[in-house]
Amino acid sequence: MFVFIALTTVAHVASGGIAVVMGAITLAVRKGARHHINAGRIFTLCMGLSSFLGAALGLIKFETFFITFHAGVLGVTLVLSGWLLATGQGAHRNRSFVALGCLNFLNTGGLVAAGFCALTLPEQTLRGFAAADYFLLAGMAGIALINDLIVVFRKTLSDRHRIAQHLWRMCLGFFIAAGSAFTGPGAGIFPQAVRDSGILSLPELTIILLMLFWLVRILFGTKRRPLLTRR
């Protein structure tokens, strides 16, 4: 069991690291170009694998990785739904988004329950994480749930809204990966002075700002050819 956990942890960290690099490339290059599509595919694969392995670790080692299970489930649903929307397969109500919505509903409920449970404890922490951490993830899962319902119940999605849905889901998945790498468990590899400087929070802030920029540009900008085409 020890060897299995060690190998799973290494694969989780390695695939997450690749996802962070590919996510940065995807945001940096011209949208809809071949480099964007190829980097996005690698990001989706690595982020999905890292999230799945993180969820598995959360189940196996729940004493120390409890919150990783919920973060992993959220990461899987975000990149899978983002990929479906990028390819056009999520533009109409379908079984995939019903299943994803159910997962996000259960995940949101579990995170809210964990957050309130943490609040009842003396240090307001549960399994080493503060109540605020659980509520933050619950908010993300709740946003994903609401938008899954939008995709399910809307008869059609315009290209603008399809791309916007794809964008924020992938960016939020990237935000989770970057947070794990720079301000979460991965921060331990950096010197204490770097951790105390606050500079490690910049990648997450940059991702959110770029996400907002592109959402505004896509939803309210001049009409142009779709950045992503169905394929």
Coordinates of all heavy atoms in Angstrom, one line a residue, residues 148-222:
D148 N -23.8 24.2 -14.8 CA -24.2 22.9 -15.3 C -25.7 22.9 -15.6 O -26.1 22.4 -16.6 CB -23.8 21.7 -14.4 CG -22.3 21.5 -14.3 OD1 -21.6 21.9 -15.3 OD2 -21.9 20.8 -13.3
L149 N -26.4 23.4 -14.7 CA -27.9 23.5 -14.8 C -28.2 24.4 -16.0 O -29.2 24.2 -16.8 CB -28.5 24.0 -13.6 CG -28.4 23.1 -12.3 CD1 -29.0 23.8 -11.1 CD2 -29.1 21.8 -12.6
I150 N -27.5 25.5 -16.2 CA -27.7 26.4 -17.3 C -27.5 25.7 -18.6 O -28.3 25.8 -19.6 CB -26.8 27.6 -17.2 CG1 -27.2 28.6 -16.1 CG2 -26.8 28.4 -18.6 CD1 -26.2 29.7 -15.8
V151 N -26.5 24.9 -18.7 CA -26.2 24.1 -19.9 C -27.3 23.1 -20.2 O -27.7 22.9 -21.3 CB -24.8 23.5 -19.9 CG1 -24.6 22.5 -21.1 CG2 -23.7 24.5 -19.8
V152 N -27.8 22.5 -19.1 CA -28.8 21.4 -19.2 C -30.1 22.0 -19.7 O -30.8 21.5 -20.6 CB -28.9 20.7 -17.9 CG1 -30.2 19.8 -18.0 CG2 -27.7 19.8 -17.6
F153 N -30.5 23.1 -19.1 CA -31.9 23.6 -19.3 C -32.0 24.6 -20.5 O -33.1 24.8 -21.0 CB -32.4 24.2 -18.0 CG -32.7 23.2 -17.0 CD1 -32.0 23.1 -15.8 CD2 -33.8 22.3 -17.1 CE1 -32.2 22.2 -14.8 CE2 -34.1 21.4 -16.1 CZ -33.3 21.3 -15.0
R154 N -30.9 25.1 -20.9 CA -31.0 26.0 -22.1 C -31.0 25.1 -23.4 O -30.2 24.2 -23.5 CB -29.8 26.9 -22.2 CG -29.9 28.0 -21.2 CD -28.8 29.1 -21.4 NE -29.1 29.8 -22.7 CZ -28.6 31.0 -23.0 NH1 -27.6 31.5 -22.2 NH2 -28.9 31.6 -24.1
K155 N -31.9 25.4 -24.3 CA -32.1 24.5 -25.5 C -30.8 24.6 -26.3 O -30.4 23.6 -26.9 CB -33.3 24.9 -26.3 CG -34.6 24.6 -25.5 CD -35.8 25.0 -26.4 CE -37.1 24.7 -25.7 NZ -38.3 25.0 -26.5
T156 N -30.3 25.8 -26.4 CA -29.0 26.0 -27.2 C -28.1 27.0 -26.5 O -28.6 27.8 -25.7 CB -29.3 26.5 -28.6 OG1 -30.0 27.7 -28.6 CG2 -30.2 25.5 -29.4
L157 N -26.9 26.9 -26.8 CA -25.9 27.9 -26.4 C -25.3 28.6 -27.6 O -24.8 27.9 -28.5 CB -24.8 27.2 -25.5 CG -25.1 26.8 -24.1 CD1 -23.9 26.1 -23.5 CD2 -25.5 28.0 -23.2
S158 N -25.2 29.9 -27.6 CA -24.6 30.6 -28.7 C -23.1 30.3 -28.5 O -22.6 29.9 -27.5 CB -24.8 32.1 -28.6 OG -24.2 32.6 -27.4
D159 N -22.3 30.6 -29.6 CA -20.9 30.4 -29.6 C -20.2 31.2 -28.5 O -19.3 30.8 -27.8 CB -20.2 30.7 -30.9 CG -20.3 29.5 -31.9 OD1 -20.4 28.4 -31.4 OD2 -20.3 29.8 -33.1
R160 N -20.7 32.4 -28.3 CA -20.2 33.3 -27.3 C -20.3 32.7 -25.9 O -19.3 32.6 -25.1 CB -20.9 34.7 -27.3 CG -20.4 35.6 -28.4 CD -21.3 36.9 -28.2 NE -20.9 37.9 -29.3 CZ -20.1 38.9 -29.2 NH1 -19.5 39.1 -28.0 NH2 -19.9 39.7 -30.2
H161 N -21.5 32.2 -25.6 CA -21.7 31.6 -24.3 C -21.1 30.3 -24.1 O -20.6 29.9 -23.0 CB -23.2 31.5 -24.0 CG -23.9 32.9 -23.7 ND1 -24.4 33.6 -24.7 CD2 -24.0 33.6 -22.6 CE1 -24.9 34.8 -24.2 NE2 -24.7 34.7 -22.9
R162 N -21.0 29.5 -25.2 CA -20.3 28.2 -25.1 C -18.8 28.4 -24.8 O -18.3 27.7 -24.0 CB -20.5 27.5 -26.5 CG -19.8 26.1 -26.5 CD -20.1 25.4 -27.9 NE -19.6 26.2 -29.0 CZ -18.3 26.1 -29.5 NH1 -17.5 25.3 -28.9 NH2 -18.0 26.8 -30.5
I163 N -18.2 29.4 -25.5 CA -16.8 29.6 -25.3 C -16.5 30.2 -23.9 O -15.6 29.9 -23.2 CB -16.2 30.6 -26.4 CG1 -16.3 29.9 -27.8 CG2 -14.8 31.0 -26.1 CD1 -16.1 30.8 -28.9
A164 N -17.5 31.1 -23.5 CA -17.3 31.7 -22.1 C -17.4 30.6 -21.1 O -16.6 30.6 -20.1 CB -18.4 32.7 -21.9
Q165 N -18.3 29.7 -21.3 CA -18.5 28.5 -20.3 C -17.2 27.7 -20.3 O -16.7 27.3 -19.3 CB -19.7 27.7 -20.7 CG -21.0 28.3 -20.4 CD -21.4 28.0 -18.9 OE1 -20.8 27.3 -18.2 NE2 -22.6 28.5 -18.5
H166 N -16.7 27.4 -21.5 CA -15.4 26.7 -21.6 C -14.3 27.4 -20.9 O -13.5 26.8 -20.1 CB -15.1 26.5 -23.1 CG -13.6 26.2 -23.3 ND1 -13.1 24.9 -23.1 CD2 -12.6 26.9 -23.7 CE1 -11.8 24.9 -23.4 NE2 -11.5 26.1 -23.8
L167 N -14.2 28.7 -21.1 CA -13.1 29.6 -20.6 C -13.1 29.5 -19.1 O -12.0 29.2 -18.5 CB -13.2 31.0 -21.1 CG -12.3 32.0 -20.4 CD1 -10.9 31.8 -20.9 CD2 -12.7 33.4 -20.8
W168 N -14.2 29.9 -18.4 CA -14.1 30.0 -17.0 C -13.9 28.6 -16.3 O -13.2 28.5 -15.2 CB -15.3 30.7 -16.4 CG -16.6 29.9 -16.3 CD1 -17.7 29.9 -17.1 CD2 -16.9 28.9 -15.2 NE1 -18.6 29.0 -16.6 CE2 -18.2 28.4 -15.5 CE3 -16.2 28.5 -14.1 CZ2 -18.8 27.5 -14.7 CZ3 -16.8 27.6 -13.3 CH2 -18.1 27.0 -13.6
R169 N -14.4 27.6 -16.9 CA -14.2 26.2 -16.3 C -12.7 25.8 -16.4 O -12.2 25.3 -15.4 CB -15.1 25.2 -17.0 CG -16.6 25.4 -16.8 CD -17.4 24.5 -17.8 NE -18.8 24.9 -17.7 CZ -19.7 24.3 -17.0 NH1 -19.4 23.3 -16.2 NH2 -21.0 24.6 -17.0
M170 N -12.1 26.1 -17.5 CA -10.7 25.7 -17.6 C -9.8 26.6 -16.7 O -8.9 26.2 -16.1 CB -10.3 25.8 -19.1 CG -10.8 24.7 -20.0 SD -10.4 23.1 -19.4 CE -10.8 22.1 -20.8
C171 N -10.2 27.9 -16.7 CA -9.4 28.8 -15.9 C -9.5 28.5 -14.4 O -8.6 28.6 -13.6 CB -9.8 30.3 -16.1 SG -9.2 31.0 -17.7
L172 N -10.7 28.1 -14.0 CA -10.9 27.7 -12.6 C -10.1 26.5 -12.2 O -9.5 26.3 -11.2 CB -12.4 27.6 -12.3 CG -12.8 27.5 -10.8 CD1 -12.3 28.8 -10.1 CD2 -14.3 27.4 -10.6
G173 N -10.1 25.5 -13.2 CA -9.3 24.3 -13.0 C -7.8 24.7 -12.9 O -7.1 24.2 -12.1
F174 N -7.4 25.6 -13.8 CA -6.0 26.1 -13.7 C -5.7 26.8 -12.4 O -4.6 26.6 -11.8 CB -5.8 27.0 -14.9 CG -4.4 27.5 -15.1 CD1 -3.3 26.8 -14.6 CD2 -4.1 28.7 -15.8 CE1 -2.0 27.2 -14.8 CE2 -2.8 29.1 -16.0 CZ -1.7 28.4 -15.5
F175 N -6.7 27.6 -11.9 CA -6.5 28.3 -10.6 C -6.3 27.3 -9.5 O -5.5 27.5 -8.6 CB -7.8 29.1 -10.4 CG -7.8 29.8 -9.0 CD1 -7.2 31.0 -8.8 CD2 -8.5 29.2 -7.9 CE1 -7.2 31.6 -7.6 CE2 -8.5 29.8 -6.7 CZ -7.9 31.0 -6.6
I176 N -7.0 26.2 -9.5 CA -6.9 25.1 -8.5 C -5.5 24.5 -8.6 O -4.8 24.3 -7.5 CB -8.0 24.1 -8.6 CG1 -9.4 24.7 -8.3 CG2 -7.7 22.9 -7.7 CD1 -10.5 23.8 -8.6
A177 N -5.1 24.2 -9.8 CA -3.7 23.6 -10.0 C -2.6 24.5 -9.5 O -1.7 24.1 -8.8 CB -3.5 23.2 -11.5
A178 N -2.7 25.8 -9.9 CA -1.7 26.8 -9.5 C -1.7 27.0 -8.0 O -0.7 27.2 -7.4 CB -2.0 28.1 -10.3
G179 N -2.9 27.0 -7.4 CA -3.0 27.2 -6.0 C -2.3 26.0 -5.2 O -1.6 26.3 -4.3
S180 N -2.5 24.8 -5.7 CA -1.9 23.7 -5.1 C -0.4 23.7 -5.3 O 0.4 23.4 -4.3 CB -2.4 22.4 -5.8 OG -1.8 21.3 -5.2
A181 N 0.1 24.3 -6.4 CA 1.5 24.3 -6.7 C 2.2 25.4 -5.9 O 3.4 25.2 -5.5 CB 1.8 24.4 -8.2
F182 N 1.6 26.6 -5.8 CA 2.3 27.8 -5.3 C 1.9 28.2 -3.9 O 2.8 28.7 -3.1 CB 2.1 28.9 -6.3 CG 2.7 28.7 -7.6 CD1 1.9 28.5 -8.7 CD2 4.1 28.8 -7.8 CE1 2.5 28.3 -10.0 CE2 4.7 28.6 -9.0 CZ 3.9 28.3 -10.1
T183 N 0.7 28.0 -3.5 CA 0.3 28.5 -2.2 C -0.3 27.3 -1.3 O -0.5 27.5 -0.1 CB -0.8 29.6 -2.2 OG1 -2.0 29.1 -2.9 CG2 -0.3 30.8 -2.9
G184 N -0.4 26.1 -1.9 CA -0.9 25.0 -1.2 C 0.3 24.1 -0.8 O 1.4 24.6 -0.5
P185 N 0.1 22.8 -0.9 CA 1.2 21.8 -0.5 C 2.5 22.1 -1.3 O 3.6 21.8 -0.7 CB 0.6 20.5 -0.9 CG -0.9 20.7 -0.8 CD -1.1 22.1 -1.3
G186 N 2.4 22.5 -2.6 CA 3.7 22.7 -3.3 C 4.5 23.8 -2.9 O 5.7 23.9 -3.2
A187 N 3.9 24.7 -2.1 CA 4.7 25.9 -1.6 C 5.9 25.5 -0.7 O 6.8 26.3 -0.5 CB 3.8 26.8 -0.8
G188 N 5.9 24.3 -0.2 CA 6.9 23.8 0.7 C 8.3 23.7 0.0 O 9.3 23.7 0.7
I189 N 8.3 23.7 -1.3 CA 9.6 23.6 -2.0 C 10.3 25.0 -2.1 O 11.5 25.0 -2.5 CB 9.5 23.0 -3.4 CG1 8.7 23.9 -4.3 CG2 8.8 21.6 -3.3 CD1 8.6 23.5 -5.8
F190 N 9.6 26.0 -1.8 CA 10.2 27.4 -1.9 C 10.8 27.8 -0.6 O 10.3 27.4 0.5 CB 9.1 28.4 -2.4 CG 8.5 28.1 -3.7 CD1 7.3 27.4 -3.9 CD2 9.2 28.5 -4.9 CE1 6.8 27.2 -5.1 CE2 8.7 28.3 -6.1 CZ 7.5 27.6 -6.3
P191 N 11.8 28.7 -0.6 CA 12.4 29.2 0.7 C 11.3 29.9 1.5 O 10.4 30.5 0.9 CB 13.5 30.1 0.2 CG 13.8 29.6 -1.2 CD 12.5 29.1 -1.8
Q192 N 11.5 30.0 2.8 CA 10.6 30.6 3.6 C 10.4 32.1 3.3 O 9.3 32.7 3.4 CB 11.0 30.5 5.1 CG 10.0 31.0 6.1 CD 8.7 30.2 6.1 OE1 8.8 29.0 6.1 NE2 7.6 30.9 6.2
A193 N 11.5 32.7 2.9 CA 11.4 34.2 2.5 C 10.5 34.4 1.3 O 9.8 35.4 1.3 CB 12.8 34.7 2.2
V194 N 10.6 33.5 0.4 CA 9.7 33.6 -0.8 C 8.2 33.4 -0.4 O 7.3 34.1 -0.8 CB 10.1 32.6 -1.9 CG1 9.1 32.6 -3.1 CG2 11.5 32.9 -2.4
R195 N 8.0 32.4 0.5 CA 6.6 32.1 0.9 C 6.0 33.3 1.7 O 4.9 33.6 1.6 CB 6.6 30.9 1.8 CG 6.6 29.6 1.0 CD 6.6 28.4 1.9 NE 7.9 28.1 2.4 CZ 8.2 27.2 3.4 NH1 7.2 26.6 4.0 NH2 9.4 27.0 3.8
D196 N 6.9 34.0 2.5 CA 6.4 35.1 3.3 C 6.2 36.4 2.5 O 5.6 37.3 2.9 CB 7.4 35.4 4.4 CG 7.4 34.2 5.4 OD1 6.5 33.4 5.5 OD2 8.4 34.1 6.2
S197 N 6.8 36.4 1.3 CA 6.8 37.7 0.5 C 5.4 37.9 -0.2 O 5.1 39.0 -0.5 CB 7.9 37.6 -0.6 OG 7.6 36.6 -1.6
G198 N 4.6 36.8 -0.3 CA 3.4 37.0 -1.0 C 3.4 36.8 -2.5 O 2.4 36.8 -3.2
I199 N 4.6 36.7 -3.0 CA 4.8 36.6 -4.5 C 4.2 35.3 -5.1 O 3.8 35.3 -6.2 CB 6.3 36.7 -4.9 CG1 6.4 37.0 -6.4 CG2 7.0 35.4 -4.5 CD1 7.9 37.3 -6.8
L200 N 4.1 34.3 -4.2 CA 3.5 33.0 -4.7 C 2.0 33.1 -5.0 O 1.4 32.2 -5.6 CB 3.8 31.9 -3.7 CG 5.3 31.6 -3.6 CD1 5.4 30.4 -2.5 CD2 5.9 31.1 -4.9
S201 N 1.4 34.2 -4.5 CA -0.1 34.4 -4.8 C -0.3 35.0 -6.2 O -1.4 35.0 -6.7 CB -0.7 35.2 -3.7 OG -0.6 34.7 -2.5
L202 N 0.8 35.5 -6.8 CA 0.6 36.2 -8.1 C 0.1 35.4 -9.2 O -0.7 35.8 -10.0 CB 1.9 36.9 -8.5 CG 2.4 38.1 -7.6 CD1 3.7 38.6 -8.1 CD2 1.3 39.2 -7.7
P203 N 0.5 34.1 -9.3 CA 0.0 33.3 -10.4 C -1.6 33.1 -10.3 O -2.2 33.2 -11.4 CB 0.7 31.9 -10.2 CG 2.0 32.3 -9.6 CD 1.6 33.4 -8.7
E204 N -2.1 32.9 -9.1 CA -3.5 32.7 -9.0 C -4.2 34.0 -9.3 O -5.3 34.0 -10.0 CB -3.8 32.3 -7.5 CG -3.3 31.0 -7.2 CD -3.4 30.7 -5.7 OE1 -4.4 30.3 -5.2 OE2 -2.3 30.9 -5.0
L205 N -3.7 35.2 -8.9 CA -4.3 36.5 -9.2 C -4.3 36.7 -10.7 O -5.3 37.2 -11.2 CB -3.6 37.6 -8.4 CG -4.0 39.0 -8.7 CD1 -5.5 39.2 -8.3 CD2 -3.1 40.0 -8.0
T206 N -3.2 36.4 -11.3 CA -3.0 36.6 -12.8 C -4.1 35.8 -13.5 O -4.7 36.2 -14.5 CB -1.6 36.2 -13.2 OG1 -0.7 37.0 -12.5 CG2 -1.5 36.4 -14.7
I207 N -4.3 34.5 -13.1 CA -5.2 33.7 -13.8 C -6.6 34.3 -13.7 O -7.4 34.3 -14.7 CB -5.2 32.2 -13.1 CG1 -3.9 31.6 -13.5 CG2 -6.4 31.4 -13.7 CD1 -3.6 30.3 -12.6
I208 N -7.0 34.7 -12.5 CA -8.4 35.3 -12.3 C -8.5 36.6 -13.2 O -9.6 36.8 -13.8 CB -8.6 35.6 -10.8 CG1 -8.7 34.3 -10.0 CG2 -9.9 36.4 -10.7 CD1 -9.7 33.3 -10.5
L209 N -7.5 37.4 -13.2 CA -7.6 38.7 -14.0 C -7.7 38.4 -15.4 O -8.5 39.0 -16.2 CB -6.4 39.6 -13.7 CG -6.3 40.2 -12.2 CD1 -5.1 41.0 -12.1 CD2 -7.6 41.0 -12.0
L210 N -6.9 37.4 -15.9 CA -7.0 37.1 -17.4 C -8.3 36.4 -17.7 O -8.9 36.7 -18.8 CB -5.8 36.1 -17.7 CG -4.4 36.8 -17.8 CD1 -3.4 35.7 -18.0 CD2 -4.4 37.8 -18.9
M211 N -8.8 35.6 -16.8 CA -10.1 35.0 -17.0 C -11.2 36.1 -17.2 O -12.0 36.0 -18.1 CB -10.5 34.1 -15.9 CG -11.9 33.4 -16.0 SD -12.3 32.5 -14.5 CE -12.8 33.8 -13.4
L212 N -11.2 37.1 -16.3 CA -12.2 38.1 -16.3 C -12.0 39.0 -17.6 O -13.0 39.3 -18.2 CB -12.1 39.0 -15.1 CG -12.4 38.4 -13.7 CD1 -12.1 39.3 -12.6 CD2 -13.9 38.0 -13.7
F213 N -10.8 39.2 -18.0 CA -10.5 40.0 -19.2 C -11.1 39.3 -20.4 O -11.8 39.9 -21.2 CB -9.0 40.2 -19.4 CG -8.6 40.6 -20.8 CD1 -8.8 42.0 -21.1 CD2 -8.2 39.8 -21.7 CE1 -8.4 42.4 -22.4 CE2 -7.8 40.2 -23.0 CZ -8.0 41.5 -23.3
W214 N -10.9 38.0 -20.5 CA -11.4 37.2 -21.7 C -12.9 37.0 -21.6 O -13.5 37.0 -22.7 CB -10.6 35.9 -21.8 CG -9.3 36.0 -22.4 CD1 -8.1 36.0 -21.8 CD2 -9.0 36.3 -23.8 NE1 -7.1 36.2 -22.8 CE2 -7.6 36.4 -24.0 CE3 -9.8 36.5 -24.9 CZ2 -7.0 36.6 -25.2 CZ3 -9.2 36.7 -26.2 CH2 -7.8 36.8 -26.3
L215 N -13.4 36.9 -20.5 CA -14.9 36.8 -20.4 C -15.6 38.0 -20.9 O -16.5 38.0 -21.6 CB -15.3 36.5 -18.9 CG -15.1 35.0 -18.4 CD1 -15.5 34.9 -16.9 CD2 -16.0 34.1 -19.2
V216 N -15.1 39.2 -20.4 CA -15.6 40.5 -20.9 C -15.5 40.6 -22.4 O -16.4 41.0 -23.1 CB -14.9 41.6 -20.2 CG1 -15.4 43.0 -20.8 CG2 -15.3 41.6 -18.7
R217 N -14.3 40.2 -22.9 CA -14.0 40.4 -24.3 C -14.9 39.5 -25.1 O -15.4 39.9 -26.2 CB -12.6 40.1 -24.6 CG -12.2 40.3 -26.1 CD -10.7 40.2 -26.3 NE -10.3 40.3 -27.7 CZ -9.1 40.3 -28.2 NH1 -8.1 40.1 -27.3 NH2 -8.9 40.4 -29.4
I218 N -15.1 38.2 -24.7 CA -15.9 37.3 -25.4 C -17.4 37.6 -25.4 O -18.1 37.6 -26.4 CB -15.7 35.9 -24.8 CG1 -14.3 35.4 -25.2 CG2 -16.8 34.9 -25.4 CD1 -13.9 34.1 -24.4
L219 N -17.9 38.0 -24.2 CA -19.3 38.2 -24.0 C -19.8 39.6 -24.5 O -20.9 39.8 -25.0 CB -19.7 38.1 -22.5 CG -19.6 36.7 -22.0 CD1 -19.9 36.6 -20.5 CD2 -20.6 35.7 -22.7
F220 N -18.9 40.6 -24.4 CA -19.3 42.0 -24.7 C -18.5 42.6 -25.9 O -18.8 43.8 -26.2 CB -19.2 42.9 -23.5 CG -20.0 42.3 -22.3 CD1 -19.4 41.7 -21.2 CD2 -21.4 42.3 -22.3 CE1 -20.1 41.2 -20.2 CE2 -22.1 41.8 -21.3 CZ -21.5 41.3 -20.2
G221 N -17.5 41.9 -26.4 CA -16.7 42.5 -27.4 C -17.4 42.5 -28.8 O -18.5 42.0 -29.0
T222 N -16.7 43.1 -29.8 CA -17.2 43.1 -31.1 C -17.3 41.6 -31.6 O -16.4 40.8 -31.4 CB -16.3 43.9 -32.0 OG1 -16.1 45.2 -31.5 CG2 -16.8 44.0 -33.5

